[in-house]
Amino acid sequence: MPGKNPLFSEPLHVGRPNLGDRTRLLSRFEDLLDRQWLTNDGPYLQAFEAAITECLGVRHCVVVCNATIGLQLVIRALNLQGEVIVPAFTFPATVHALALEGATPIFCDVDPNNHSLDPREAERLITPQTSAILGVHLWGNPCAVDALDDLAKRRRLRLLYDAAHAFGCSHAGRMIGNFGDAEVFSFHATKFLNSGEGGAIVTNDDVLAERLRRLRSFGLHQGEVVQLGTNAKMTEFCAAMGLTSLESRELFIERNRENHAAYQSALAETSGIRVLFPEQNAGNAQYVVVEVDAQQAGITRDDLCRALHAENVLAKRYFWPGCHRMPPYARVFEATGRRLPHTDRLCERLLQFPTGCSVSHLDIARIGNFLQGLVARLRRAA
Ligand code: T4K
Protein backbone atom coordinates (compact mmCIF):
# COMPACT_ATOMS: atom_id res chain seq x y z
CA MET A 1 0.00 0.00 0.00
CA PRO A 2 1.37 3.46 -0.89
CA GLY A 3 1.83 5.98 1.94
CA LYS A 4 0.30 9.49 2.07
CA ASN A 5 2.63 11.34 -0.28
CA PRO A 6 4.45 8.64 -2.17
CA LEU A 7 7.56 9.39 -4.19
CA PHE A 8 5.69 8.23 -7.31
CA SER A 9 2.04 9.03 -7.92
CA GLU A 10 1.69 5.92 -10.15
CA PRO A 11 3.13 2.54 -9.16
CA LEU A 12 6.44 1.46 -10.65
CA HIS A 13 6.16 -2.26 -11.38
CA VAL A 14 8.68 -5.04 -11.75
CA GLY A 15 7.56 -6.73 -14.93
CA ARG A 16 5.89 -3.90 -16.85
CA PRO A 17 5.72 -5.27 -20.41
CA ASN A 18 8.26 -4.12 -22.98
CA LEU A 19 6.09 -3.25 -25.97
CA GLY A 20 7.21 -3.31 -29.56
CA ASP A 21 6.03 -1.06 -32.40
CA ARG A 22 2.34 -0.47 -31.67
CA THR A 23 1.42 0.58 -35.23
CA ARG A 24 2.96 -2.55 -36.70
CA LEU A 25 1.27 -4.72 -34.07
CA LEU A 26 -2.16 -3.22 -34.75
CA SER A 27 -1.73 -3.62 -38.50
CA ARG A 28 -0.88 -7.29 -37.91
CA PHE A 29 -4.02 -7.69 -35.82
CA GLU A 30 -6.03 -6.09 -38.65
CA ASP A 31 -4.40 -8.42 -41.11
CA LEU A 32 -5.11 -11.60 -39.19
CA LEU A 33 -8.69 -10.53 -38.55
CA ASP A 34 -9.13 -9.83 -42.27
CA ARG A 35 -7.77 -13.26 -43.14
CA GLN A 36 -9.79 -14.93 -40.36
CA TRP A 37 -6.97 -17.27 -39.46
CA LEU A 38 -6.67 -17.11 -35.69
CA THR A 39 -4.72 -20.16 -34.55
CA ASN A 40 -3.48 -23.66 -35.60
CA ASP A 41 -0.10 -23.15 -37.20
CA GLY A 42 -1.05 -19.87 -38.85
CA PRO A 43 1.28 -17.56 -40.78
CA TYR A 44 2.25 -15.43 -37.76
CA LEU A 45 3.08 -18.53 -35.73
CA GLN A 46 5.25 -19.80 -38.55
CA ALA A 47 6.93 -16.42 -39.00
CA PHE A 48 7.56 -16.16 -35.24
CA GLU A 49 9.13 -19.64 -35.13
CA ALA A 50 11.30 -18.91 -38.16
CA ALA A 51 12.48 -15.60 -36.69
CA ILE A 52 13.41 -17.21 -33.36
CA THR A 53 15.24 -20.04 -35.11
CA GLU A 54 17.28 -17.53 -37.08
CA CYS A 55 17.90 -15.20 -34.16
CA LEU A 56 19.24 -18.00 -31.93
CA GLY A 57 20.93 -20.10 -34.59
CA VAL A 58 19.03 -23.26 -33.56
CA ARG A 59 17.57 -25.96 -35.79
CA HIS A 60 14.04 -26.05 -34.34
CA CYS A 61 11.66 -23.79 -32.49
CA VAL A 62 8.29 -25.03 -31.27
CA VAL A 63 6.27 -22.10 -30.01
CA VAL A 64 3.72 -22.89 -27.28
CA CYS A 65 1.07 -21.10 -25.21
CA ASN A 66 3.36 -20.65 -22.17
CA ALA A 67 6.68 -21.87 -20.80
CA THR A 68 5.16 -24.06 -18.08
CA ILE A 69 3.38 -26.15 -20.69
CA GLY A 70 6.56 -26.00 -22.79
CA LEU A 71 8.54 -27.59 -19.96
CA GLN A 72 5.86 -30.21 -19.49
CA LEU A 73 5.95 -31.10 -23.18
CA VAL A 74 9.72 -31.59 -23.17
CA ILE A 75 9.59 -33.70 -20.01
CA ARG A 76 6.89 -35.84 -21.61
CA ALA A 77 8.56 -36.00 -25.03
CA LEU A 78 11.77 -37.26 -23.42
CA ASN A 79 9.77 -39.62 -21.21
CA LEU A 80 11.59 -38.40 -18.13
CA GLN A 81 10.74 -40.47 -15.14
CA GLY A 82 12.26 -41.07 -11.71
CA GLU A 83 14.32 -38.24 -10.26
CA VAL A 84 15.22 -34.96 -11.92
CA ILE A 85 17.74 -32.63 -10.31
CA VAL A 86 16.48 -29.06 -10.25
CA PRO A 87 17.22 -25.86 -8.30
CA ALA A 88 14.75 -24.80 -5.60
CA PHE A 89 15.72 -21.20 -6.27
CA THR A 90 13.38 -20.62 -9.20
CA PHE A 91 9.80 -19.73 -10.03
CA PRO A 92 7.57 -22.68 -9.00
CA ALA A 93 6.63 -23.37 -12.64
CA THR A 94 10.00 -25.10 -13.19
CA VAL A 95 9.31 -27.62 -10.47
CA HIS A 96 5.56 -27.94 -11.01
CA ALA A 97 6.23 -28.98 -14.61
CA LEU A 98 8.25 -31.96 -13.35
CA ALA A 99 5.76 -32.93 -10.66
CA LEU A 100 2.79 -32.62 -13.01
CA GLU A 101 4.49 -34.97 -15.47
CA GLY A 102 5.13 -37.55 -12.74
CA ALA A 103 8.86 -36.96 -12.23
CA THR A 104 10.30 -36.41 -8.75
CA PRO A 105 12.09 -33.07 -8.28
CA ILE A 106 15.33 -33.40 -6.34
CA PHE A 107 16.26 -29.98 -5.05
CA CYS A 108 19.82 -28.87 -5.56
CA ASP A 109 21.55 -25.81 -4.14
CA VAL A 110 22.76 -23.00 -6.37
CA ASP A 111 26.12 -21.39 -6.89
CA PRO A 112 25.96 -18.17 -4.84
CA ASN A 113 27.89 -16.35 -7.56
CA ASN A 114 25.51 -16.84 -10.48
CA HIS A 115 22.38 -18.12 -8.63
CA SER A 116 22.13 -21.18 -10.92
CA LEU A 117 22.50 -24.90 -10.32
CA ASP A 118 25.81 -25.87 -8.73
CA PRO A 119 27.19 -28.73 -10.89
CA ARG A 120 29.20 -30.28 -8.04
CA GLU A 121 26.15 -30.38 -5.79
CA ALA A 122 24.14 -31.80 -8.70
CA GLU A 123 26.63 -34.62 -9.13
CA ARG A 124 26.34 -35.54 -5.45
CA LEU A 125 22.58 -35.92 -5.83
CA ILE A 126 22.71 -38.42 -8.72
CA THR A 127 21.27 -41.84 -7.88
CA PRO A 128 20.32 -44.82 -10.06
CA GLN A 129 16.83 -43.24 -10.31
CA THR A 130 18.09 -39.97 -11.79
CA SER A 131 16.97 -39.42 -15.36
CA ALA A 132 17.82 -35.76 -15.98
CA ILE A 133 19.08 -32.41 -14.83
CA LEU A 134 16.91 -29.34 -15.29
CA GLY A 135 18.93 -26.12 -14.96
CA VAL A 136 17.50 -22.60 -14.86
CA HIS A 137 19.33 -19.63 -16.40
CA LEU A 138 18.12 -17.42 -13.60
CA TRP A 139 17.97 -13.66 -14.28
CA GLY A 140 19.39 -14.50 -17.73
CA ASN A 141 22.69 -15.67 -16.18
CA PRO A 142 23.78 -18.76 -18.11
CA CYS A 143 24.10 -21.90 -15.98
CA ALA A 144 27.52 -23.56 -15.81
CA VAL A 145 26.64 -25.09 -19.17
CA ASP A 146 30.02 -26.70 -19.88
CA ALA A 147 30.25 -28.43 -16.51
CA LEU A 148 26.61 -29.55 -16.70
CA ASP A 149 27.09 -30.84 -20.24
CA ASP A 150 30.11 -32.83 -19.13
CA LEU A 151 28.23 -34.19 -16.12
CA ALA A 152 25.16 -35.18 -18.15
CA LYS A 153 27.33 -36.97 -20.73
CA ARG A 154 29.43 -38.81 -18.15
CA ARG A 155 26.38 -39.96 -16.19
CA ARG A 156 24.17 -40.53 -19.25
CA LEU A 157 21.49 -38.09 -18.18
CA ARG A 158 19.22 -35.83 -20.15
CA LEU A 159 19.94 -32.13 -19.75
CA LEU A 160 17.26 -29.45 -20.05
CA TYR A 161 17.20 -25.76 -19.39
CA ASP A 162 14.45 -23.50 -18.21
CA ALA A 163 15.49 -20.43 -20.17
CA ALA A 164 12.37 -18.42 -19.20
CA HIS A 165 14.55 -15.40 -18.29
CA ALA A 166 17.24 -15.79 -20.89
CA PHE A 167 16.00 -14.81 -24.33
CA GLY A 168 18.73 -12.82 -26.07
CA CYS A 169 21.45 -13.93 -23.61
CA SER A 170 24.58 -15.78 -24.62
CA HIS A 171 27.43 -17.83 -23.22
CA ALA A 172 30.91 -17.63 -24.78
CA GLY A 173 29.41 -16.18 -27.96
CA ARG A 174 26.73 -18.86 -28.28
CA MET A 175 23.09 -17.91 -27.82
CA ILE A 176 21.13 -19.50 -25.01
CA GLY A 177 18.88 -21.99 -26.78
CA ASN A 178 21.75 -24.10 -28.04
CA PHE A 179 22.54 -25.99 -24.85
CA GLY A 180 21.37 -29.33 -23.50
CA ASP A 181 18.70 -31.48 -25.18
CA ALA A 182 16.25 -28.58 -25.25
CA GLU A 183 15.67 -25.16 -23.73
CA VAL A 184 12.39 -23.45 -22.92
CA PHE A 185 11.77 -19.68 -23.09
CA SER A 186 8.87 -17.76 -21.61
CA PHE A 187 7.15 -14.92 -23.46
CA HIS A 188 4.90 -13.98 -20.55
CA ALA A 189 3.99 -10.27 -20.30
CA THR A 190 6.65 -9.74 -17.63
CA LYS A 191 9.50 -11.27 -19.64
CA PHE A 192 12.21 -9.55 -21.66
CA LEU A 193 10.38 -10.49 -24.85
CA ASN A 194 6.65 -10.97 -24.59
CA SER A 195 3.68 -12.20 -26.54
CA GLY A 196 1.20 -11.59 -23.69
CA GLU A 197 1.36 -15.26 -22.77
CA GLY A 198 3.63 -17.65 -24.59
CA GLY A 199 6.76 -19.71 -24.70
CA ALA A 200 9.07 -21.56 -27.03
CA ILE A 201 10.94 -24.84 -26.92
CA VAL A 202 14.14 -24.81 -28.94
CA THR A 203 16.28 -27.81 -29.76
CA ASN A 204 18.81 -29.08 -32.25
CA ASP A 205 17.31 -32.58 -32.07
CA ASP A 206 15.16 -33.32 -35.17
CA VAL A 207 13.31 -36.28 -33.67
CA LEU A 208 12.52 -34.46 -30.44
CA ALA A 209 11.23 -31.43 -32.37
CA GLU A 210 8.85 -33.58 -34.38
CA ARG A 211 7.55 -35.27 -31.25
CA LEU A 212 7.04 -31.89 -29.58
CA ARG A 213 5.05 -30.57 -32.54
CA ARG A 214 2.69 -33.52 -32.31
CA LEU A 215 2.40 -33.26 -28.52
CA ARG A 216 1.52 -29.58 -28.90
CA SER A 217 -1.46 -30.36 -31.05
CA PHE A 218 -3.44 -33.37 -29.78
CA GLY A 219 -0.90 -35.92 -31.08
CA LEU A 220 -1.93 -35.07 -34.63
CA HIS A 221 0.28 -35.72 -37.62
CA GLN A 222 -1.12 -34.86 -41.06
CA GLY A 223 -4.65 -34.91 -39.68
CA GLU A 224 -4.34 -38.30 -37.92
CA VAL A 225 -3.81 -38.92 -34.23
CA VAL A 226 -0.56 -40.86 -33.96
CA GLN A 227 0.26 -40.35 -30.29
CA LEU A 228 -1.04 -38.87 -27.07
CA GLY A 229 -1.12 -35.08 -27.17
CA THR A 230 -2.53 -31.95 -25.64
CA ASN A 231 -3.39 -28.44 -26.74
CA ALA A 232 -0.37 -26.19 -26.20
CA LYS A 233 -0.83 -24.01 -29.28
CA MET A 234 -0.21 -20.28 -29.41
CA THR A 235 -2.84 -18.08 -31.05
CA GLU A 236 -2.09 -15.82 -34.00
CA PHE A 237 -2.69 -12.76 -31.79
CA CYS A 238 0.07 -13.83 -29.44
CA ALA A 239 2.36 -14.84 -32.30
CA ALA A 240 1.88 -11.42 -33.95
CA MET A 241 2.70 -9.78 -30.62
CA GLY A 242 5.75 -11.99 -30.11
CA LEU A 243 7.02 -11.28 -33.61
CA THR A 244 6.57 -7.55 -33.08
CA SER A 245 8.40 -7.71 -29.73
CA LEU A 246 11.20 -9.71 -31.31
CA GLU A 247 11.77 -6.96 -33.86
CA SER A 248 12.39 -4.49 -31.01
CA ARG A 249 14.69 -6.70 -28.95
CA GLU A 250 17.79 -4.55 -29.53
CA LEU A 251 15.93 -1.53 -28.21
CA PHE A 252 14.72 -3.46 -25.14
CA ILE A 253 18.24 -4.66 -24.40
CA GLU A 254 19.66 -1.18 -24.77
CA ARG A 255 17.06 0.32 -22.41
CA ASN A 256 17.51 -2.46 -19.87
CA ARG A 257 21.29 -2.17 -19.90
CA GLU A 258 21.12 1.61 -19.50
CA ASN A 259 18.72 1.21 -16.58
CA HIS A 260 20.98 -1.40 -15.03
CA ALA A 261 23.93 0.97 -15.21
CA ALA A 262 21.77 3.80 -13.82
CA TYR A 263 20.81 1.65 -10.81
CA GLN A 264 24.44 0.77 -10.22
CA SER A 265 25.45 4.40 -10.04
CA ALA A 266 22.32 5.46 -8.09
CA LEU A 267 22.98 2.83 -5.41
CA ALA A 268 26.78 2.92 -5.44
CA GLU A 269 27.00 4.90 -2.20
CA THR A 270 24.14 3.18 -0.37
CA SER A 271 25.69 0.98 2.23
CA GLY A 272 24.36 -2.59 2.35
CA ILE A 273 22.26 -2.29 -0.83
CA ARG A 274 24.11 -3.68 -3.82
CA VAL A 275 23.12 -4.23 -7.46
CA LEU A 276 24.35 -7.68 -8.48
CA PHE A 277 25.68 -8.79 -11.87
CA PRO A 278 27.09 -5.46 -13.04
CA GLU A 279 28.40 -6.91 -16.31
CA GLN A 280 25.38 -7.19 -18.60
CA ASN A 281 27.21 -7.30 -21.94
CA ALA A 282 25.97 -10.79 -22.79
CA GLY A 283 22.68 -10.59 -20.91
CA ASN A 284 19.29 -8.98 -21.50
CA ALA A 285 19.44 -7.06 -18.18
CA GLN A 286 15.74 -7.72 -17.65
CA TYR A 287 16.22 -8.17 -13.91
CA VAL A 288 17.78 -5.64 -11.58
CA VAL A 289 18.74 -7.97 -8.76
CA VAL A 290 19.58 -6.16 -5.54
CA GLU A 291 21.10 -7.77 -2.48
CA VAL A 292 20.27 -6.30 0.91
CA ASP A 293 22.72 -6.82 3.74
CA ALA A 294 20.50 -6.02 6.74
CA GLN A 295 23.41 -5.40 9.09
CA GLN A 296 25.14 -2.92 6.85
CA ALA A 297 21.99 -1.24 5.59
CA GLY A 298 20.36 -1.13 9.02
CA ILE A 299 17.12 -2.49 7.54
CA THR A 300 15.96 -5.96 6.59
CA ARG A 301 15.10 -6.88 3.01
CA ASP A 302 11.41 -7.19 3.93
CA ASP A 303 11.26 -3.83 5.72
CA LEU A 304 13.04 -2.23 2.79
CA CYS A 305 10.49 -3.78 0.45
CA ARG A 306 7.67 -2.32 2.56
CA ALA A 307 9.35 1.10 2.60
CA LEU A 308 9.63 1.04 -1.19
CA HIS A 309 6.00 -0.04 -1.61
CA ALA A 310 4.92 2.91 0.56
CA GLU A 311 6.61 5.10 -2.09
CA ASN A 312 4.85 3.23 -4.92
CA VAL A 313 8.04 1.43 -5.96
CA LEU A 314 6.71 -2.12 -6.18
CA ALA A 315 9.95 -4.06 -5.75
CA LYS A 316 9.43 -7.84 -5.70
CA ARG A 317 10.88 -10.61 -3.56
CA TYR A 318 11.76 -12.92 -6.43
CA PHE A 319 12.14 -15.67 -5.43
CA TRP A 320 10.77 -16.21 -1.97
CA PRO A 321 10.33 -18.74 -0.50
CA GLY A 322 12.44 -21.38 -2.26
CA CYS A 323 10.37 -24.11 -3.88
CA HIS A 324 11.65 -26.58 -1.26
CA ARG A 325 9.70 -24.60 1.33
CA MET A 326 6.43 -24.48 -0.62
CA PRO A 327 3.50 -26.66 0.46
CA PRO A 328 3.59 -29.18 -2.40
CA TYR A 329 7.25 -29.99 -1.72
CA ALA A 330 8.19 -28.89 1.81
CA ARG A 331 7.22 -32.02 3.73
CA VAL A 332 9.07 -34.40 1.44
CA PHE A 333 12.12 -32.13 1.37
CA GLU A 334 12.21 -31.76 5.16
CA ALA A 335 12.08 -35.53 5.54
CA THR A 336 15.34 -35.83 3.60
CA GLY A 337 17.16 -33.80 6.29
CA ARG A 338 19.04 -31.96 3.52
CA ARG A 339 19.67 -28.23 3.48
CA LEU A 340 20.10 -25.61 0.75
CA PRO A 341 22.08 -22.89 2.52
CA HIS A 342 22.83 -20.72 -0.52
CA THR A 343 19.23 -20.89 -1.71
CA ASP A 344 17.90 -19.95 1.73
CA ARG A 345 20.34 -17.07 2.05
CA LEU A 346 19.43 -15.63 -1.37
CA CYS A 347 15.70 -16.02 -0.69
CA GLU A 348 16.14 -13.84 2.42
CA ARG A 349 18.29 -11.14 0.83
CA LEU A 350 17.22 -10.43 -2.74
CA LEU A 351 14.88 -7.82 -4.10
CA GLN A 352 14.02 -7.06 -7.74
CA PHE A 353 13.71 -3.43 -8.78
CA PRO A 354 11.48 -2.05 -11.54
CA THR A 355 13.12 -1.70 -14.92
CA GLY A 356 12.26 -2.02 -18.61
CA CYS A 357 11.11 0.52 -21.15
CA SER A 358 8.61 2.22 -18.82
CA VAL A 359 11.24 3.13 -16.21
CA SER A 360 13.36 6.26 -16.79
CA HIS A 361 16.77 7.33 -15.54
CA LEU A 362 15.05 10.05 -13.55
CA ASP A 363 12.88 7.42 -11.81
CA ILE A 364 16.00 5.46 -10.94
CA ALA A 365 17.82 8.52 -9.64
CA ARG A 366 14.83 9.31 -7.39
CA ILE A 367 14.79 5.75 -6.07
CA GLY A 368 18.54 6.01 -5.43
CA ASN A 369 18.16 9.32 -3.54
CA PHE A 370 15.33 7.92 -1.48
CA LEU A 371 17.34 4.84 -0.48
CA GLN A 372 20.45 6.86 0.30
CA GLY A 373 18.42 9.14 2.56
CA LEU A 374 16.67 6.21 4.23
CA VAL A 375 19.87 4.29 4.96
CA ALA A 376 21.65 7.44 6.18
CA ARG A 377 18.75 8.20 8.58
CA LEU A 378 18.74 4.64 9.88
CA ARG A 379 22.48 4.72 10.47
CA ARG A 380 22.28 8.01 12.33
CA ALA A 381 19.47 6.64 14.51
CA ALA A 382 21.35 3.41 15.30
N1 T4K B 1 10.44 -20.57 -15.27
C1 T4K B 1 10.81 -19.40 -14.67
C2 T4K B 1 12.18 -19.29 -14.13
C3 T4K B 1 9.90 -18.34 -14.60
O1 T4K B 1 10.24 -17.18 -13.99
C4 T4K B 1 8.61 -18.51 -15.14
C5 T4K B 1 7.63 -17.46 -15.06
C6 T4K B 1 8.28 -19.73 -15.76
C7 T4K B 1 9.23 -20.75 -15.80
C8 T4K B 1 6.96 -20.00 -16.37
O2 T4K B 1 6.73 -19.17 -17.49
P1 T4K B 1 5.21 -18.99 -18.04
O3 T4K B 1 4.50 -20.32 -17.95
O4 T4K B 1 4.57 -17.89 -17.22
O5 T4K B 1 5.42 -18.59 -19.49
C9 T4K B 1 5.15 -13.64 -12.85
C10 T4K B 1 4.73 -14.32 -14.12
O6 T4K B 1 3.36 -14.67 -14.11
C11 T4K B 1 5.55 -15.51 -14.47
O7 T4K B 1 5.40 -15.72 -15.87
C12 T4K B 1 7.02 -15.26 -14.20
N2 T4K B 1 7.83 -16.43 -14.38
C13 T4K B 1 7.23 -14.77 -12.80
C14 T4K B 1 8.68 -14.47 -12.52
O8 T4K B 1 6.50 -13.59 -12.62
P2 T4K B 1 3.90 -13.09 -10.67
O9 T4K B 1 2.84 -13.84 -9.94
O10 T4K B 1 4.99 -12.49 -9.89
O11 T4K B 1 3.25 -12.03 -11.69
P3 T4K B 1 2.38 -10.78 -11.44
O12 T4K B 1 1.07 -10.98 -12.09
O13 T4K B 1 2.42 -10.36 -10.00
O14 T4K B 1 3.15 -9.69 -12.33
C15 T4K B 1 4.32 -9.07 -11.87
C16 T4K B 1 4.21 -7.58 -12.10
O15 T4K B 1 4.23 -7.32 -13.47
C17 T4K B 1 2.95 -6.96 -11.57
O16 T4K B 1 3.19 -6.39 -10.32
C18 T4K B 1 2.58 -5.90 -12.58
C19 T4K B 1 3.37 -6.23 -13.80
N3 T4K B 1 2.52 -6.62 -14.91
C20 T4K B 1 2.08 -7.90 -14.99
C21 T4K B 1 1.29 -8.29 -16.05
C22 T4K B 1 0.79 -9.71 -16.13
C23 T4K B 1 2.16 -5.68 -15.85
O17 T4K B 1 2.53 -4.51 -15.71
N4 T4K B 1 1.40 -6.05 -16.90
C24 T4K B 1 0.95 -7.33 -17.05
O18 T4K B 1 0.28 -7.63 -18.06
O19 T4K B 1 4.47 -14.11 -11.75
Side-chain angles (χ1 to χ4, degrees), residues 13-17 65-69 71 90-91 93-94 136 138 162 164-165 185-191 197-199 287 314 316 318-319:
H13 290 283
V14 171
R16 251 307 184 239
C65 54
N66 62 60
T68 309
I69 292 285
L71 286 164
T90 181
F91 193 64
T94 320
V136 182
L138 209 69
D162 175 338
H165 297 184
F185 295 102
S186 169
F187 302 136
H188 180 260
T190 56
K191 294 294 181 292
E197 287 275 2
Y287 293 90
L314 304 188
K316 284 210 123 188
Y318 285 149
F319 287 110

Side-chain angles (χ1 to χ4, degrees), residues 22-203:
R22 187 180 291 239
T23 312
R24 193 173 298 168
L25 176 63
L26 293 178
S27 89
R28 284 174 168 155
F29 284 171
E30 293 275 3
D31 173 55
L32 72 89
L33 289 173
D34 286 347
R35 279 192 286 109
Q36 299 191 36
W37 195 273
L38 305 187
T39 185
N40 286 11
D41 215 14
Y44 284 110
L45 189 283
Q46 289 180 25
F48 190 30
E49 288 187 339
I52 292 171
T53 307
E54 191 189 330
C55 167
L56 303 182
V58 289
R59 282 176 69 78
H60 303 283
C61 170
V62 181
V63 160
V64 286
C65 54
N66 62 60
T68 309
I69 292 285
L71 286 164
Q72 286 184 244
L73 292 197
V74 183
I75 294 160
R76 186 164 280 247
L78 293 174
N79 193 24
L80 296 185
Q81 294 179 343
E83 299 176 352
V84 177
I85 295 167
V86 64
F89 192 48
T90 181
F91 193 64
T94 320
V95 182
H96 288 341
L98 289 169
L100 285 167
E101 291 301 321
T104 305
I106 301 295
F107 292 120
C108 181
D109 213 352
V110 291
D111 176 340
N113 295 312
N114 76 351
H115 301 185
S116 293
L117 209 55
D118 179 337
R120 279 167 308 178
E121 277 297 309
E123 182 149 23
R124 282 188 208 113
L125 293 171
I126 295 174
T127 71
Q129 282 72 47
T130 309
S131 61
I133 298 170
L134 171 49
V136 182
H137 304 301
L138 209 69
W139 325 132
N141 292 339
C143 289
V145 287
D146 300 324
L148 288 172
D149 190 56
D150 172 65
L151 175 60
K153 286 203 170 95
R154 275 193 289 112
R155 306 298 293 264
R156 296 175 179 276
L157 300 174
R158 292 292 195 170
L159 178 59
L160 307 179
Y161 289 108
D162 175 338
H165 297 184
F167 196 92
C169 303
S170 60
H171 167 74
R174 217 165 143 211
M175 297 304 284
I176 295 296
N178 286 278
F179 299 97
D181 292 288
E183 305 206 51
V184 181
F185 295 102
S186 169
F187 302 136
H188 180 260
T190 56
K191 294 294 181 292
F192 164 69
L193 186 87
N194 89 84
S195 58
E197 287 275 2
I201 310 163
V202 296
T203 179

